[in-house]
Amino acid sequence: MIRKLVAAVQGAEMGGGHSPGGAPTLVLLHGWGFSGAAWAPLRAALPAATRVLAPDLPGHGAAGDGEALADVERSAAALIGSLPSEVVCPVWVGWSLGGLVALAAARQWAGPQGVLLIGSTPRFARGGDWPAALPWAELEDFRTALRGDRRRLERRLAMLCARGSLDAASLARTLTAQLQANPAAPDGLEAGLTLLERSDLRSAWADVEAPVGAWLEAGDALVPAAVEASLQKLRPDARIGRGPGGHAEWFQRPEPLAGFISEFLSDCGTKEPA
């Protein structure tokens, strides 16, 4: 699995050439069912000199060994092992499921870094002490859907990601096309759903010695914006950004998120961790 992930990482472009040694590198980690190609709108909105990697997670895009994604620590270790040697200050940016891998990578990384959750959370499944999350029944519904028609699953996922957005119908069509152009393997989808159901990375969010931040959307149907209170309770120094749309609003309007990321990057390497 490491060999295949290395190929996926090395295939991602480093935007704007090489920055001076020690400059942060964005490592963009996509959501369930998508691939590194999904980041194209955001990458186009970032400053040209920004260093960017956008790998495919196991079982997604060009990466194989999808069953490995069920183990977040294994996936994070493989990701770290695949990074080019010039990456000395990664900023792990995880959208949706990718946020879990980002947090696990941050916990394993030894050196300067940063962590940004985009429409993501350290725990996706609702619990008594974590109310702003998905009910178990909704996660189980996705597992049932995995056994049915693939096109119907893709449309359903796209509609949920688009719900709450300013132009939800158009965005759902865009997301459906993205899912179909870069399809995830069945074992990657199955393992990714297991990861979403079982993972609890709250300790990583609370304890990682690095700047942390989160971007939340008011109309997100998958990660309730109300999770902000819980995130800030665990990490009072977190930089929190807010948008008015849904889970994938940045596909249509990436500029606000790009601006938030640029501000966060300016802190990395200068801001003292909590």
Side-chain angles (χ1 to χ4, degrees), residues 6-268:
V6 167
V9 171
Q10 291 178 339
E13 296 180 2
M14 296 284 273
H18 296 297
S19 298
T25 299
L26 293 179
V27 183
L28 305 177
L29 304 173
H30 59 80
W32 186 68
F34 290 87
S35 72
W39 291 105
L42 178 65
R43 295 179 68 163
L46 289 167
T50 307
R51 298 179 62 176
V52 180
L53 292 170
D56 294 330
L57 294 175
H60 290 67
D65 300 301
E67 71 281 355
L69 189 56
D71 186 337
V72 72
E73 300 297 338
R74 178 182 170 189
S75 296
L79 173 64
I80 289 172
S82 72
L83 294 179
S85 60
E86 63 266 26
V87 178
V88 296
C89 181
V91 175
W92 315 102
V93 180
W95 174 52
S96 200
L97 174 146
L100 296 172
V101 182
L103 286 168
R107 185 158 59 186
Q108 295 181 26
W109 180 261
Q113 61 179 328
V115 184
L116 273 176
L117 303 183
I118 309 302
S120 189
T121 171
R123 174 172 170 163
F124 279 81
R126 183 179 297 173
D129 60 345
W130 197 253
L134 287 173
W136 278 99
E138 291 191 24
L139 289 167
E140 282 301 309
D141 283 348
F142 273 108
R143 190 169 295 282
T144 300
L146 279 175
R147 306 185 188 102
D149 179 75
R150 176 63 179 263
R151 296 295 189 184
R152 182 176 298 176
L153 172 63
E154 291 166 345
R155 291 193 297 269
R156 179 183 178 190
L157 177 59
M159 290 174 64
L160 282 171
C161 289
R163 185 181 299 171
S165 297
L166 303 181
D167 190 354
S170 174
L171 179 55
R173 290 192 294 270
T174 298
L175 296 174
T176 299
Q178 178 66 231
L179 289 164
Q180 294 176 355
N182 301 279
D187 60 349
L189 291 172
E190 187 78 30
L193 189 55
T194 298
L195 183 66
L196 290 168
E197 290 174 334
R198 299 180 182 177
S199 293
D200 188 338
L201 276 293
R202 286 180 288 180
S203 62
W205 170 260
D207 298 335
V208 64
E209 295 184 358
V212 299
W215 179 268
L216 302 170
E217 296 280 356
D220 196 326
L222 296 171
V223 177
V227 76
E228 177 181 350
S230 298
L231 292 176
Q232 290 196 309
K233 183 178 181 180
L234 288 173
R235 194 64 187 258
D237 67 318
R239 178 191 284 266
I240 306 293
R242 305 164 191 84
H247 193 64
E249 184 67 31
W250 57 270
F251 269 77
Q252 285 187 324
R253 295 171 178 81
E255 292 79 12
L257 177 56
F260 176 76
I261 291 174
S262 295
E263 291 175 2
F264 185 84
L265 285 176
S266 70
D267 282 351
C268 284

